[in-house]
Amino acid sequence: MGKLRQTALILGEGPTEFFYFKSLCDVFKNLTIKPDNPKHTSLKELEVKIADGVTKGYNHIFCIIDMDTKDVEPERSQYQKLKAKYVQPVNRPKQGIYCEVEFFETHRCTELFFLYYFRYTSRPYADQASLLKDLNQSADYQKTIDFFRKSKGLHAYFERNSGSLKQAVANADHSLEEKQENGRDYTYSELGRLMKALETL
């Protein structure tokens, strides 16, 4: 039987999200970050992890989604189907389960939010490499587990390099406003919304 706990389960699609959100545990005390052994996961695996989190009694499950891999089929359709499945909260009173599952998207990938720690951009990125190049102008960054470990917490690392989470949230919000105004489907992040959701837990 599920046990209701006022904690958020954060599910990322790979090691980047795992290490970044792990580094925010000092900022947000009630986070559980999964998986404990981070590796790149498919949407099918993500679906299994969501179901497992629901069964364990979490009442908030936040899924961090890189949209650059959802630009093409069949991933696009699979992702839309998964999102549709959790439009309504999972409510099983007899089992003591009530869970809201939310998806937070970034295009191209989570590294855009890292760049937003330093500055705003709305330029389209043809690939991840060009985005990482821009990020590296502000702080040395490598997308490797070795680097994530050596940085002693990505969040603190960005702030030590004159980045700011508050600025990242503001820049992410600005990207969503622009996205809505001009209908663009690239270079935006919903992770600012996620940070606000975590603050209210």
Side-chain angles (χ1 to χ4, degrees):
M1 180 165 142
K3 191 166 98 260
L4 205 63
R5 43 178 125 175
Q6 290 295 323
T7 53
L9 173 61
I10 292 191
L11 297 174
E13 292 183 279
T16 307
E17 293 77 19
F18 172 81
F19 281 100
Y20 175 63
F21 281 95
K22 208 73 176 161
S23 77
L24 284 173
C25 283
D26 290 346
V27 183
F28 305 108
K29 306 286 185 202
N30 46 0
L31 289 188
T32 302
I33 320 289
K34 294 283 182 186
D36 292 325
N37 182 21
K39 60 180 177 29
H40 290 286
T41 57
S42 66
L43 283 170
K44 220 161 200 50
E45 289 169 308
L46 183 64
E47 190 168 1
V48 169
K49 285 172 192 163
I50 293 170
D52 184 52
V54 169
T55 305
K56 284 185 174 153
Y58 289 97
N59 61 344
H60 294 280
I61 297 176
F62 299 131
C63 304
I64 315 304
I65 305 294
D66 284 350
M67 291 305 285
D68 59 353
T69 56
K70 314 295 179 292
D71 282 343
V72 290
E73 297 295 353
E75 284 80 7
R76 183 188 286 136
S77 298
Q78 288 169 356
Y79 174 57
Q80 292 306 331
K81 196 175 160 190
L82 180 61
K83 264 175 86 172
K85 183 177 177 179
Y86 290 105
V87 167
Q88 297 297 325
V90 180
N91 192 6
R92 302 178 197 146
K94 287 182 179 171
Q95 296 168 292
I97 287 173
Y98 181 86
C99 181
E100 293 176 17
V101 180
E102 289 184 75
F103 297 84
F104 295 87
E105 304 167 355
T106 300
H107 192 284
R108 298 198 67 87
C109 52
T110 301
E111 277 79 9
L112 177 68
F113 188 70
F114 300 165
L115 177 59
Y116 281 167
Y117 265 73
F118 304 97
R119 65 183 176 84
Y120 182 73
T121 184
S122 61
R123 68 167 276 210
Y125 289 100
D127 50 35
Q128 219 177 89
S130 52
L131 170 55
L132 295 182
K133 191 177 171 187
D134 272 6
L135 176 56
N136 269 287
Q137 288 173 1
S138 299
D140 180 42
Y141 176 86
Q142 295 150 37
K143 195 170 180 141
T144 65
I145 287 176
D146 193 42
F147 172 77
F148 296 155
R149 290 199 171 115
K150 280 182 181 163
S151 70
K152 296 187 167 53
L154 285 172
H155 163 66
Y157 174 74
F158 296 139
E159 296 218 320
R160 282 198 306 274
N161 281 276
S162 306
S164 154
L165 177 58
K166 192 177 174 183
Q167 186 179 335
V169 170
N171 285 334
D173 288 350
H174 183 49
S175 76
L176 294 182
E177 284 161 18
E178 281 193 349
K179 177 179 185 274
Q180 202 167 7
E181 280 166 20
N182 61 28
R184 77 165 188 257
D185 60 354
Y186 57 85
T187 318
Y188 66 87
S189 178
E190 296 180 338
L191 292 184
R193 280 203 310 114
L194 172 57
M195 299 304 168
K196 288 172 186 163
L198 293 174
E199 277 173 11
T200 63
L201 287 180

